[in-house]
């Protein structure tokens, strides 16, 4: 009998502690999540690729259109017929700068054969009395070399003035002259020493030939 009584008590206890399937206080199990439909991102990229390419090309064209006006064509300077007068101190040197590219500027020149070299530009002026114009060389800090053009130094024109010669120059002797350009950098040429008359014959057209320098 005691065992039956104990079993009955256990059944009553289980009845009080175990919730009924229909008990409204019972927490329902969460629903199984339904996976979201997968988006094919690669397909979207493929569809948008032509538009992206067009936009990139348009931006590149705009960039080039903005930058191009400020760019300069490359310089292509060729130094021709470098000559230096063998008479006197100071004396003059002449070079023919042929430029097959964009514009440049001759900034300075030097030579181990002289203490100083200055750039000189030939300038003309009209006297106040109305007589014939006269010309003379003027020391400048630069000589422009036009794009796709020439800077031709010659007697009665632009020149390099050498002062403080280390020793007198002899006809046929060559001296090194270094030219410094704004864009082309440094160029060193060998200038041949000749008389003014020979230099004029080589550099001047017949109607302008002179028998001496300046």
């Amino acid at each position: 009998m005691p065992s039956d009584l104990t079993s009955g008590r256990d059944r009553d206890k289980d009845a009080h502690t175990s919730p009924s399937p229909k008990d409204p206080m019972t927490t329902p199990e969460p629903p199984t999540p339904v996976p979201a439909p997968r988006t094919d991102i690669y397909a979207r990229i493929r569809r948008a690729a032509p538009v992206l390419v067009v936009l990139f090309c348009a931006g590149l064209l705009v960039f080039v259109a903005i930058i191009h006006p400020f760019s300069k064509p490359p310089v292509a300077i060729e130094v021709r017929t470098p000559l230096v007068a063998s008479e006197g101190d100071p004396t003059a040197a002449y070079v023919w700068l042929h430029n097959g590219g964009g514009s440049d500027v001759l900034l300075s020149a030097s030579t181990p054969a002289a203490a100083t070299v200055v750039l000189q530009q030939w300038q003309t002026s009209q006297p106040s009395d109305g007589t014939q114009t006269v010309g003379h060389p003027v020391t400048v800090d630069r000589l422009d070399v036009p794009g796709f053009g020439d800077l031709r130094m010659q007697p009665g024109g632009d020149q390099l003035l050498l002062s403080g010669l280390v020793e007198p120059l002899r006809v046929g002797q060559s001296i090194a002259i270094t030219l410094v350009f704004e864009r082309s950098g440094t160029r060193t040429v060998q200038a041949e020493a000749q008389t003014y008359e020979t230099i004029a014959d080589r550099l001047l057209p017949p109607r302008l030939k002179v028998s001496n320098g300046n």
Side-chain angles (χ1 to χ4, degrees), residues 50-103:
V51 177
L52 295 176
V53 171
V54 171
L55 292 176
F56 173 78
C57 293
L60 184 61
L61 290 175
V62 171
F63 175 78
V64 172
I66 294 174
I67 297 299
H68 181 70
F70 301 98
S71 62
K72 294 182 179 180
V75 182
I77 288 183
E78 179 184 351
V79 182
R80 300 176 178 176
T81 60
L83 297 169
V84 58
S86 59
E87 299 104 333
D89 183 6
T91 189
Y94 309 94
V95 293
W96 174 8
L97 302 177
H98 174 70
N99 188 1
S103 61

Side-chain angles (χ1 to χ4, degrees), residues 128-160:
S128 57
D129 57 5
T131 57
Q132 185 178 2
T133 58
V134 294
H136 57 281
V138 176
T139 299
V140 294
D141 58 3
R142 56 183 284 162
L143 288 173
D144 294 329
V145 185
F148 303 97
D150 298 276
L151 171 61
R152 301 188 68 160
M153 301 183 189
Q154 60 188 25
D158 299 343
Q159 64 182 17
L160 306 175

Side-chain angles (χ1 to χ4, degrees), residues 177-200:
I177 298 179
T178 299
L179 308 173
V180 180
F181 296 90
E182 184 177 67
R183 297 182 61 197
S184 300
T186 301
R187 298 280 188 89
T188 299
V189 297
Q190 295 294 323
E192 181 185 358
Q194 290 292 340
T195 64
Y196 275 113
E197 184 176 2
T198 300
I199 292 174

Side-chain angles (χ1 to χ4, degrees), residues 1 17 25 44 84 125 138-139 169 183 188 208:
M1 291 295 292
T17 57
M25 299 300 294
R44 289 188 176 185
V84 58
S125 59
V138 176
T139 299
L169 300 179
R183 297 182 61 197
T188 299
L208 294 179

Side-chain angles (χ1 to χ4, degrees), residues 1-14:
M1 291 295 292
S3 60
D4 294 339
L5 181 59
T6 303
S7 299
R9 290 177 180 176
D10 292 339
R11 284 194 297 271
D12 293 341
K13 183 178 180 181
D14 292 340

